[in-house]
Amino acid sequence: MALYFGNTSDSLVADALAGFARAHADLVAHDVEQGFVRALHTSPARRVGLVSGGGSGHEPLHTGFVGLGMLDAACPGRVFASPHNRQVFTASRAVAREDGVLHLVKNYTGDRINFGIAAERLVHEGIACSRVLIDDDLASESEEIAAGRRGTGATVLVEKVLGAAADTGLGLRDLTDLGTDLVSRCRSLAVASAAHTAPTTGLPAFELPFDRMEYGVGIHGERADHTVPRRPVRELVGEMAGALERSLGLGKGASVILLVNGLGSLTRLELYGVLEDAARVLDARGITTERVLVGDLVTALDMRGFSLSLMVSDAETVKLFDAPARTAAWPR
Amino acid sequence: MALYFGNTSDSLVADALAGFARAHADLVAHDVEQGFVRALHTSPARRVGLVSGGGSGHEPLHTGFVGLGMLDAACPGRVFASPHNRQVFTASRAVAREDGVLHLVKNYTGDRINFGIAAERLVHEGIACSRVLIDDDLASESEEIAAGRRGTGATVLVEKVLGAAADTGLGLRDLTDLGTDLVSRCRSLAVASAAHTAPTTGLPAFELPFDRMEYGVGIHGERADHTVPRRPVRELVGEMAGALERSLGLGKGASVILLVNGLGSLTRLELYGVLEDAARVLDARGITTERVLVGDLVTALDMRGFSLSLMVSDAETVKLFDAPARTAAWPR
């Protein structure tokens, strides 16, 4: 057993995927052999299939966003490990449309490699394939880290807006360009007061003193440069929002979509309190919060903390964000 | 500060409620002074207002189920404390319909008292008022405990089905009878591998050895008679489902609605694994799972565990369960 409530560590992801497919049989079909889920209902106007995936442990990402208006398919890997390129290839071939397939990939080496191999195989079979690389995590921005920023919370915003755009009938080139532009308009930052349970040991992945927090933690428990003292959430959220604004070059008069995302074990009381403070902070700085999305949407197993994401928005983005979607976990 | 990410312990619930109302301003109105939320959109066919409430710390219960097809209003108390009877009275008066108000009350002394006082005041003002008392928690069934079984997970099932029934235009008497009948068809059982954070201390409310779990825990951290050894979830779920079936007198050929509910910190991987095993167990015993509901719907702050609830169903119950609802947290 790996996590506390399970059968064997080998069956953890497979059992969960079976349960997911069972609970949401009205929304998704589950390819048990190949290990992916695909949408049962999609827009006939869509000309490009949208495929995402990545390590398990971030649920509801990505399977929870498969369905009408968002992803055509999602490929979960083992916990915190990339899906195999064969999964990605098979899923992509299954949902490819007249104008091919677009891969939505969080920026991690394993995912880049496996989606990359799958893409080569697809092109070899005559299926057009392009990629949008999501790299929103401000904490991993450093000139010393050649890998670039990690992909985290904003992934769900990108999946939603691109899904709605795909349903307008955009082609592969336009959709890729839009995705790349969307990603450039997103930044996220995460804090944690306690680590997730490491599936290999069943123990916390790292220890934090009671009155310290990890400022800039990653969704696999990647540590920040340093811990910081615990502080009132109003103050904390002010710092985080300030850092996101600076990175995006936002000033008075800007408009954003705000994501307040629980990392796993945060209570709803805390999460909605964070939301209230974040919205007030942005308001006080003259930034318009056009839309708010809240929930445990991009998690790090049972990590205790939250992330804030901003996506710079215009009327078109908001319209796409508002377009109806029907998936297991899209909360609006 | 009480929970980790907050401002002052006094402002915790108020801050969260403000954030909730902000995030879901399309669904609810927030009476800040009186401390309740009410639905913006309701069915014109409804003749009875449905009001629930209870201690905070169980979110999304009850505020997340205010909206079209479910509750007309919800009154949150402080963490794990009953709302004041003034809140309940004011909310009830605000949403009363031609045939009065129905209170959906989880079976705890404080809630019974405060909803009871509010009901007396309502009747005194000429507003008909009745009550459905929810007491599904099998673990608290004992001849020694005069208070009776506690109200837990099944609350969300009762709120959903009664909400849909209210939208068919049922009167207060019929709705009360249906609610009482529904409650008699529900049982729940919960297990935890770790306690919630006690808001007063910021520390775990109780300690459990690594390889033990609390079998029959309450949603305020009420301890079970004894802890049990950790075991594979298939085995655990088999025992739990067996106990629920016996209590409900279920046998081969029975039909149920199954709720698989996370208590706060359980990962989605574990929760969906539990769902898969629970559905298989029921299936193997010849019990038809007509519908499955899954998520963190009735939580105990950040307790690490889950509950299973069964509601014995017939065609009418399933139809009401399936009726559309639009609230912040109803997941279907």
Side-chain angles (χ1 to χ4, degrees), chain A residues 245 252 277-289, chain B residues 22:
Chain A
E245 289 163 26
K252 210 167 172 165
D277 282 324
R280 285 186 190 187
V281 160
L282 294 171
D283 191 48
R285 294 181 188 165
I287 295 170
T288 304
T289 304
Chain B
R22 183 190 291 269

Side-chain angles (χ1 to χ4, degrees), chain B:
Chain B
M1 287 185 266
L3 295 173
Y4 197 93
F5 294 104
N7 292 305
T8 68
S9 59
D10 275 351
S11 71
L12 183 67
V13 170
D15 289 349
L17 206 55
F20 177 85
R22 183 190 291 269
H24 308 294
D26 55 330
L27 297 171
V28 299
H30 178 198
D31 187 320
V32 179
E33 202 186 328
Q34 295 293 334
F36 67 87
V37 297
R38 59 176 293 185
L40 284 180
H41 313 287
T42 54
S43 166
R46 192 175 276 212
R47 292 169 52 206
V48 175
L50 298 192
V51 175
S52 193
S56 290
H58 307 303
E59 290 69 27
L61 196 75
H62 297 269
T63 50
F65 304 118
V66 170
L68 195 67
M70 293 188 74
L71 300 175
D72 289 278
C75 311
R78 294 171 70 94
V79 174
F80 293 173
S82 168
H84 194 281
N85 58 73
R86 192 181 50 244
Q87 282 172 271
V88 178
F89 171 72
T90 319
S92 300
R93 199 171 50 179
V95 303
R97 309 263 172 137
E98 61 194 87
D99 211 15
V101 176
L102 180 62
H103 288 166
L104 280 59
V105 185
K106 299 197 298 304
N107 187 29
Y108 297 99
T109 306
D111 291 321
R112 293 178 67 149
I113 291 173
N114 280 291
F115 275 87
I117 295 171
E120 284 182 27
R121 290 186 60 193
L122 289 164
V123 171
H124 187 74
E125 293 213 358
I127 298 172
C129 181
S130 183
R131 162 194 288 187
V132 171
L133 199 65
I134 302 166
D135 64 347
D136 53 307
D137 185 14
L138 184 54
S140 46
E141 183 171 277
S142 157
E143 303 204 348
E144 291 152 42
I145 304 174
R149 290 188 303 259
R150 300 177 291 236
T152 58
T155 307
V156 63
L157 299 175
V158 174
E159 289 181 352
K160 175 62 183 77
V161 174
L162 272 190
D167 285 352
T168 68
L170 281 193
L172 184 59
R173 172 52 43 209
D174 288 343
L175 216 46
T176 310
D177 290 347
L178 174 61
T180 305
D181 178 51
L182 284 172
V183 169
S184 74
R185 293 192 260 138
C186 290
R187 290 293 185 283
S188 301
L189 201 49
V191 295
S193 65
H196 63 276
T197 304
T200 44
T201 62
L203 298 172
F206 56 85
E207 292 291 343
L208 275 177
F210 183 74
D211 268 340
R212 309 286 294 182
M213 63 176 91
E214 199 74 9
Y215 183 99
V217 73
I219 56 172
H220 309 92
E222 296 95 333
R223 301 297 298 266
D225 279 348
H226 53 285
T227 66
V228 301
R230 183 180 174 189
R231 62 200 64 182
V233 80
R234 195 160 296 154
E235 194 183 309
L236 173 66
V237 161
E239 288 170 48
M240 294 169 73
L244 297 174
E245 289 162 27
R246 282 190 299 279
S247 178
L248 288 164
L250 297 187
K252 210 166 170 165
S255 292
V256 297
I257 295 173
L258 165 67
L259 166 63
V260 182
N261 174 58
L263 291 174
S265 294
L266 198 73
T267 64
R268 295 311 79 176
L269 289 174
E270 291 166 290
L271 192 69
Y272 277 104
V274 166
L275 184 157
E276 180 63 12
D277 281 325
R280 286 185 189 186
V281 160
L282 294 172
D283 192 47
R285 294 181 188 165
I287 295 170
T288 304
T289 304
E290 295 283 355
R291 294 291 184 276
V292 180
L293 188 66
V294 58
D296 288 0
L297 302 175
V298 181
T299 61
L301 290 172
D302 53 357
M303 186 178 286
R304 205 173 190 302
F306 66 90
S307 63
L308 296 181
S309 301
L310 297 182
M311 175 186 266
V312 182
S313 64
D314 52 22
E316 181 62 18
T317 318
V318 172
K319 191 176 146 200
L320 294 169
F321 181 82
D322 283 346
R326 190 158 167 263
T327 79
W330 179 249
R332 289 169 60 97

Side-chain angles (χ1 to χ4, degrees), chain A residues 107-188:
Chain A
N107 187 30
Y108 298 99
T109 308
D111 292 322
R112 293 178 67 149
I113 291 173
N114 280 291
F115 275 87
I117 295 171
E120 284 181 27
R121 289 186 60 192
L122 289 164
V123 171
H124 188 74
E125 292 214 358
I127 298 171
C129 182
S130 183
R131 163 193 288 186
V132 171
L133 200 64
I134 302 164
D135 63 346
D136 52 308
D137 185 14
L138 183 55
S140 47
E141 183 170 276
S142 158
E143 303 206 345
E144 292 151 42
I145 304 175
R149 290 186 303 259
R150 301 177 291 237
T152 58
T155 307
V156 64
L157 298 176
V158 174
E159 290 181 352
K160 176 62 183 76
V161 175
L162 271 190
D167 285 352
T168 68
L170 281 193
L172 185 58
R173 172 53 41 212
D174 288 343
L175 216 46
T176 309
D177 290 348
L178 174 60
T180 304
D181 178 51
L182 284 173
V183 169
S184 75
R185 293 193 260 140
C186 290
R187 291 292 185 282
S188 302

Side-chain angles (χ1 to χ4, degrees), chain A residues 76-287:
Chain A
R78 294 171 69 95
V79 174
F80 293 173
S82 168
H84 194 281
N85 59 73
R86 191 182 50 242
Q87 282 171 271
V88 178
F89 171 72
T90 318
S92 300
R93 198 171 50 177
V95 303
R97 310 263 173 136
E98 61 193 86
D99 211 14
V101 177
L102 181 62
H103 288 167
L104 279 60
V105 184
K106 299 196 300 302
N107 187 30
Y108 298 99
T109 308
D111 292 322
R112 293 178 67 149
I113 291 173
N114 280 291
F115 275 87
I117 295 171
E120 284 181 27
R121 289 186 60 192
L122 289 164
V123 171
H124 188 74
E125 292 214 358
I127 298 171
C129 182
S130 183
R131 163 193 288 186
V132 171
L133 200 64
I134 302 164
D135 63 346
D136 52 308
D137 185 14
L138 183 55
S140 47
E141 183 170 276
S142 158
E143 303 206 345
E144 292 151 42
I145 304 175
R149 290 186 303 259
R150 301 177 291 237
T152 58
T155 307
V156 64
L157 298 176
V158 174
E159 290 181 352
K160 176 62 183 76
V161 175
L162 271 190
D167 285 352
T168 68
L170 281 193
L172 185 58
R173 172 53 41 212
D174 288 343
L175 216 46
T176 309
D177 290 348
L178 174 60
T180 304
D181 178 51
L182 284 173
V183 169
S184 75
R185 293 193 260 140
C186 290
R187 291 292 185 282
S188 302
L189 201 49
V191 294
S193 64
H196 64 278
T197 303
T200 43
T201 62
L203 299 171
F206 57 84
E207 294 290 343
L208 275 176
F210 182 74
D211 269 340
R212 310 285 294 183
M213 63 175 92
E214 199 73 10
Y215 184 100
V217 71
I219 56 171
H220 309 91
E222 296 95 334
R223 302 295 299 266
D225 278 349
H226 54 284
T227 66
V228 301
R230 183 179 173 190
R231 63 198 66 181
V233 80
R234 194 160 297 154
E235 196 183 307
L236 174 65
V237 161
E239 288 171 47
M240 293 170 73
L244 297 174
E245 289 163 26
R246 283 190 298 279
S247 179
L248 288 165
L250 298 187
K252 210 167 172 165
S255 292
V256 297
I257 295 172
L258 166 67
L259 166 63
V260 182
N261 174 57
L263 292 175
S265 293
L266 199 72
T267 64
R268 295 311 79 175
L269 288 174
E270 291 165 291
L271 192 69
Y272 277 104
V274 166
L275 184 157
E276 180 63 12
D277 282 324
R280 285 186 190 187
V281 160
L282 294 171
D283 191 48
R285 294 181 188 165
I287 295 170

